[in-house]
Amino acid sequence: MGTLIVIGLIMVYGGGAWKFWNGFRRTNFNPTLTNRIGLSLLWPALFITNQSYRRNFRKALKG
């Protein structure tokens, strides 16, 4: 059962990073490769802690 939870979390993490990466152009962030990689990889922590990031993340997913 624990393995399924871990696999599910990995899939949610990867899916969120992928969707944010593809919708990055819709955000207000500076479109550099460094920003794109960093913000895509750190999305769970930033989504929880930063309201501005949360708004931009939703913009990116709306595609």
Side-chain angles (χ1 to χ4, degrees):
M1 183 67 167
T3 305
L4 289 175
I5 293 171
V6 170
I7 291 171
L9 289 174
I10 290 171
M11 289 177 66
V12 168
Y13 175 80
W18 179 258
K19 292 281 284 183
F20 184 75
W21 179 272
N22 288 324
F24 191 82
R25 67 185 176 282
R26 291 184 209 100
T27 66
N28 297 331
F29 297 123
N30 192 8
T32 64
L33 182 61
T34 307
N35 276 352
R36 197 170 187 174
I37 291 170
L39 294 172
S40 294
L41 292 177
L42 295 173
W43 77 264
L46 292 170
F47 188 83
I48 291 169
T49 61
N50 191 315
Q51 184 178 9
S52 173
Y53 182 85
R54 217 174 358 255
R55 258 186 263 117
N56 279 291
F57 188 81
R58 288 184 186 123
K59 283 183 193 178
L61 297 187
K62 282 192 178 177

